[in-house]
């Protein structure tokens, strides 16, 4: 939402009309982009702007955002991730365009939780907002940063990997009670092969990283 001083009108002079819809190409729009976005938005843009008699302009649009996020997976699958979405102008400096946001983090989080249809592997904990000023090629710009904190749902990994590995570990210790050395060796080899297969399956779903190997 933004204000345009050049399109105000007196409602009484125009049959009490308080709002009109105009094509988005007919008026100026702020060039807001998401800095972490890695792919072009594939959702069709909304074709209209809502213009009010006070000069206030409103634009509502849905976006499909593919973004980057620095992951810390040392405690996988019990990890908590914090991803950022930074909204900024492409062209305008902070002297030409000021960006203001709703700073009520609880309200933003509740709105997001009510909007999400399915959280799948992640559980949304909370969203916080922050306003900063970034330096881009010698110019300063207002940047709005949304920090999304998510917790991985670990129940699936516990049932499919941790419990079977602990079970194999107990079998390995139990084999120490076997008296026949030949049976003991063959049993240990069987347990080792089972653990190796579990590790191969686990490696396929582990997040790839070049910094720290997951503790699991």
């Amino acid at each position: 939402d933004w204000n345009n001083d050049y399109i105000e009108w007196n409602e009484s002079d125009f049959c009490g009309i308080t709002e009109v819809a105009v094509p988005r190409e007919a008026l100026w729009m702020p060039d807001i982009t998401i800095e972490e976005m890695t792919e072009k938005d594939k959702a069709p843009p909304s074709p209209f702007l809502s213009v009010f008699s006070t000069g206030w302009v409103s634009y509502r649009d849905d976006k499909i955002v593919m973004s980057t996020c620095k992951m810390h997976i040392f405690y996988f699958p019990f990890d908590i991730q914090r991803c950022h979405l930074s909204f900024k102008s492409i062209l305008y400096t902070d002297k030409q365009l000021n960006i203001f946001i709703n700073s009520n983090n609880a309200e933003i989080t509740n709105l997001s939780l009510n909007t999400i249809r399915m959280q799948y592997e992640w559980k949304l904990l909370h969203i916080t907002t922050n306003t900063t000023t970034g330096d881009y090629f010698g110019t300063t710009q207002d940047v709005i940063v949304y920090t999304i904190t998510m917790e991985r749902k670990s129940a699936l990994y516990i049932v499919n990997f941790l419990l079977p590995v602990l079970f194999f570990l107990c079998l390995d210790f139990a084999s120490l009670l076997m008296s026949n050395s030949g049976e003991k060796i063959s049993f240990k080899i069987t347990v080792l092969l089972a653990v190796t297969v579990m590790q191969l399956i686990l490696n396929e779903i582990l997040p790839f990283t070049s910094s720290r190997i997951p503790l699991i």
Side-chain angles (χ1 to χ4, degrees):
D1 301 285
W2 63 95
N3 191 49
N4 191 325
D5 296 330
Y6 299 98
I7 52 176
E8 298 179 7
W9 70 86
N10 191 344
E11 301 172 9
S12 59
D13 295 338
F14 296 92
C15 304
I17 296 176
T18 60
E19 178 186 358
V20 294
V22 299
R24 63 195 299 266
E25 295 81 8
L27 292 176
W28 175 87
M29 288 182 58
D31 56 340
I32 303 298
T33 185
I34 299 176
E35 197 170 14
E36 292 83 5
M37 203 165 177
T38 58
E39 294 185 10
K40 185 179 180 181
D41 181 20
K42 298 178 181 179
S46 177
F48 295 105
L49 302 173
S50 295
V51 181
F52 297 88
S53 60
T54 57
W56 203 254
V57 183
S58 178
Y59 181 63
R60 296 291 177 265
D61 193 21
D62 292 329
K63 287 185 176 295
I64 299 176
V65 178
M66 299 291 291
S67 67
T68 59
C69 180
K70 187 175 181 180
M71 308 286 282
H72 302 278
I73 60 171
F74 182 70
Y75 296 107
F76 174 89
F78 305 103
D79 51 331
I80 296 177
Q81 305 295 341
R82 291 175 177 83
C83 296
H84 305 284
L85 292 178
S86 305
F87 293 80
K88 60 180 286 291
S89 170
I90 300 176
L91 177 65
Y92 298 104
T93 66
D94 57 345
K95 295 181 179 180
Q96 298 169 324
L97 180 66
N98 294 326
I99 309 176
F100 303 96
I101 59 170
N102 180 8
S103 58
N104 190 333
N105 296 327
E107 181 179 339
I108 295 173
T109 302
N110 291 332
L111 178 62
S112 300
L113 288 173
N114 294 331
T115 305
I116 292 177
R117 295 182 176 91
M118 184 175 66
Q119 299 193 44
Y120 190 54
E121 186 181 357
W122 297 94
K123 177 183 178 181
L124 176 64
L125 298 181
H126 56 81
I127 299 177
T128 59
T129 58
N130 184 31
T131 303
T132 62
T133 301
D135 188 359
Y136 299 91
F137 305 104
T139 60
T140 55
Q141 293 179 312
D142 283 348
V143 182
I144 306 299
V145 181
Y146 284 80
T147 302
I148 304 170
T149 304
M150 306 174 293
E151 180 182 18
R152 193 188 302 270
K153 296 181 179 180
S154 58
L156 178 66
Y157 302 97
I158 294 174
V159 173
N160 290 340
F161 296 103
L162 291 183
L163 291 182
V165 167
L166 291 176
F167 176 71
F168 289 138
L169 181 63
C170 293
L171 286 179
D172 193 24
F173 285 133
S175 66
L176 298 175
L177 303 176
M178 299 175 63
S179 58
N180 192 317
S181 60
E183 292 180 357
K184 183 185 296 185
I185 292 175
S186 62
F187 185 79
K188 281 186 172 291
I189 291 176
T190 303
V191 173
L192 178 61
L193 290 175
V195 173
T196 303
V197 172
M198 290 293 297
Q199 186 179 12
L200 291 175
I201 298 174
L202 179 62
N203 285 335
E204 292 181 358
I205 68 166
L206 278 177
F208 293 99
T209 178
S210 58
S211 54
R212 302 182 70 183
I213 299 175
L215 187 61
I216 190 175

